[in-house]
Amino acid sequence: MSDGKILFRGTLDERTVSRSSAEPAATVVPMRMGTAGVGLLVNDHGEATRILSDVETYGSAGELMASVFDEPAESHPDAASEAVFAVNQTDGEEHRRVRRALRRVIDARVRDVSDQLIQDVQQSIESALALGRLDAVASIGVPVADSVMSRLLGLDANLVSALRNAVYQGYPVRELDATLVDWVRDRRAHPADDLVSDLMAELPSLDDRQVAANTRLLALSGVEVLAALITNGILCLAQDPGTQSLVREDETLLPGLVHEVQRYASPIARGIYRMTKRSSVIGKYSVPAGTLLVIGVDVCNRDTSAFPDAHRFDPTRGRDFEHLTFGRGRHSCLGIPVTRLIAMQALRMFLSGTTRFGLTVEPSELRFHETMVMNGLVELPIWVECAD
């Protein structure tokens, strides 16, 4: 059993707040959020769960999200009138209509290409293990993500690069969507064997900008999260030889391992946003309608009031608990099934292909990308001892 002494990146709250007081940190905190003004950061698992469950009071953030991540609207005079949102930024019948269509095409496409995706994962793992010493981000995480974006979404290398820059280098969403619109327009004229073409056939009323926005959503919130989940899992296991051996001996522990990685080493830091649709009370604050809320996912996932030994990595914890990495309820991530499938297969293949592995540097030396949305490693240098 793991001793739980696994070092991972501190939560965003721990990295940005210096405390000299012994008093516990506030779990609901007012904070300025770009041009969206003052909103609330919610670091309490119970409050966050309530907010994500109540879609009548707490809706999608829409334009307020764009004002946090993109340039100020005044630099684009037509931005407000031209705003187009992905399914996670809409509510009501529009949300249900697009989400149903996406669910159908995702499920169908995953069924069609799941064997190929697993073969791609196997090839990436085998090539990586042959190196002996490797960067698990470059040799495993990135190839797996590229495979999913190519086989599922049909994206080419240039678009994949632009999407990755949007996540980790602050590439403006508006510019990214303009690039994607051109690609979608070409796809509409020349359909291919991919999910985006399937979506346009399933829901032809979506215009090119709507398709582009949803393509961006699927790629950023699904595929790059998948890559970070796999490498974060390898990071945890690299520090825990006991769990490596335990899971090799009993693969039924794999689902629980992946579940615990999602909680303890969440690839999402603050990637879930909501807006109050009417006045409400959150924590000790009376909040007016139109207030932006951000869920501190990594903090909520280590909330000691929700999880026993919350700051301890325990892959035998099972799955009888709810982390918030992929949200919950009607706005939960559409890619959860394929993300879990690929992450589980990647970790299973990696463990079965090795007798042991570990870090080539101290955990404190590892670097993560500087973004408040995700916990993605810049690189993960490891050594491996391959199985015969």
Side-chain angles (χ1 to χ4, degrees):
M1 181 175 176
S2 169
D3 62 9
K5 296 177 181 178
I6 305 300
L7 293 180
F8 187 68
R9 192 185 202 186
T11 65
L12 192 56
D13 181 58
E14 293 168 339
R15 300 198 305 274
T16 57
V17 178
S18 175
R19 301 188 192 96
S20 56
S21 170
E23 293 295 318
T27 55
V28 179
V29 185
M31 63 181 295
R32 179 158 290 280
M33 300 182 186
T35 58
V38 176
L40 285 183
L41 168 64
V42 181
N43 283 337
D44 178 270
H45 185 277
E47 279 288 75
T49 300
R50 181 181 68 82
I51 289 166
L52 296 175
S53 303
D54 184 357
V55 296
E56 301 304 320
T57 305
Y58 308 103
S60 297
E63 293 179 16
L64 290 181
M65 274 183 68
S67 69
V68 173
F69 293 107
D70 218 335
E71 313 96 284
E74 56 265 25
S75 66
H76 297 271
D78 298 326
S81 61
E82 294 182 356
V84 173
F85 302 123
V87 66
N88 68 322
Q89 297 170 291
T90 61
D91 288 305
E93 181 53 36
E94 174 68 7
H95 173 85
R96 289 188 289 272
R97 182 176 73 97
V98 178
R99 187 179 176 93
R100 283 195 297 264
L102 281 167
R103 179 79 280 154
R104 287 192 291 270
V105 297
I106 289 172
D107 289 348
R109 180 57 50 177
V110 170
R111 283 195 300 270
D112 288 345
V113 302
S114 59
D115 289 345
Q116 295 168 298
L117 289 174
I118 291 171
Q119 289 173 9
D120 291 345
V121 172
Q122 179 77 50
Q123 183 176 352
S124 295
I125 298 292
E126 290 176 352
S127 298
L129 294 183
L131 299 173
R133 295 171 77 90
L134 60 126
D135 170 10
V137 173
S139 297
I140 299 174
V142 169
V144 169
D146 288 357
S147 165
V148 175
M149 282 201 262
S150 174
R151 291 198 184 276
L152 277 185
L153 301 177
L155 302 178
D156 59 33
N158 290 333
L159 280 172
V160 169
S161 176
L163 286 157
R164 201 160 277 133
N165 286 340
V167 175
Y168 294 127
Q169 297 180 28
Y171 190 77
V173 168
R174 191 173 286 107
E175 292 182 22
L176 172 62
D177 280 356
T179 302
L180 282 168
V181 165
D182 289 340
W183 178 81
V184 167
R185 189 172 294 120
D186 181 72
R187 245 335 176 251
R188 194 182 295 275
H190 308 284
D193 187 20
D194 58 50
L195 190 153
V196 176
S197 298
D198 294 347
L199 176 61
M200 289 188 282
E202 177 77 18
L203 206 60
S205 61
L206 290 180
D207 66 27
D208 293 342
R209 293 183 303 157
Q210 290 173 304
V211 175
N214 283 289
T215 300
R216 182 238 304 164
L217 167 69
L218 294 173
L220 298 189
S221 67
V223 181
E224 282 304 299
V225 167
L226 167 62
L229 176 61
I230 292 170
T231 51
N232 291 354
I234 293 173
L235 168 59
C236 292
L237 289 168
Q239 300 175 70
D240 192 352
T243 293
Q244 291 182 32
S245 299
L246 197 65
V247 181
R248 286 190 189 99
E249 293 168 4
D250 183 3
E251 287 192 354
T252 64
L253 296 174
L254 264 171
L257 168 66
V258 172
H259 203 62
E260 178 69 346
V261 171
Q262 290 169 357
R263 183 196 72 83
Y264 181 82
S266 172
I268 299 294
R270 291 182 187 169
I272 300 178
Y273 291 78
R274 290 292 181 267
M275 182 179 70
T276 54
K277 297 166 73 173
R278 55 189 179 218
S279 60
S280 65
V281 175
I282 302 175
K284 64 180 181 180
Y285 297 98
S286 296
V287 184
T291 300
L292 183 64
L293 311 174
V294 56
I295 306 300
V297 174
D298 54 357
V299 184
C300 290
N301 281 350
R302 299 190 204 177
D303 185 342
T304 54
S305 67
F307 306 104
D309 296 322
H311 293 276
R312 178 175 177 271
F313 177 70
D314 182 5
T316 65
R317 195 183 294 268
R319 291 194 290 169
D320 190 23
F321 62 88
E322 184 175 22
H323 61 73
L324 299 181
T325 296
F326 298 125
R328 76 185 310 275
R330 296 183 195 176
H331 286 272
S332 60
C333 177
L334 284 159
I336 292 174
V338 68
T339 297
R340 287 177 176 161
L341 169 68
I342 299 302
M344 200 172 306
Q345 289 295 330
L347 293 177
R348 181 185 67 78
M349 292 172 185
F350 191 83
L351 285 166
S352 64
T354 58
T355 54
R356 60 188 187 123
F357 59 91
L359 299 173
T360 62
V361 299
E362 292 298 317
S364 59
E365 296 178 46
L366 294 170
R367 294 185 302 119
F368 287 80
H369 289 283
E370 291 299 324
T371 167
M372 70 177 183
V373 176
M374 287 186 63
N375 290 318
L377 286 154
V378 175
E379 58 182 5
L380 179 58
I382 59 173
W383 56 267
V384 296
E385 185 179 274
C386 295
D388 294 332

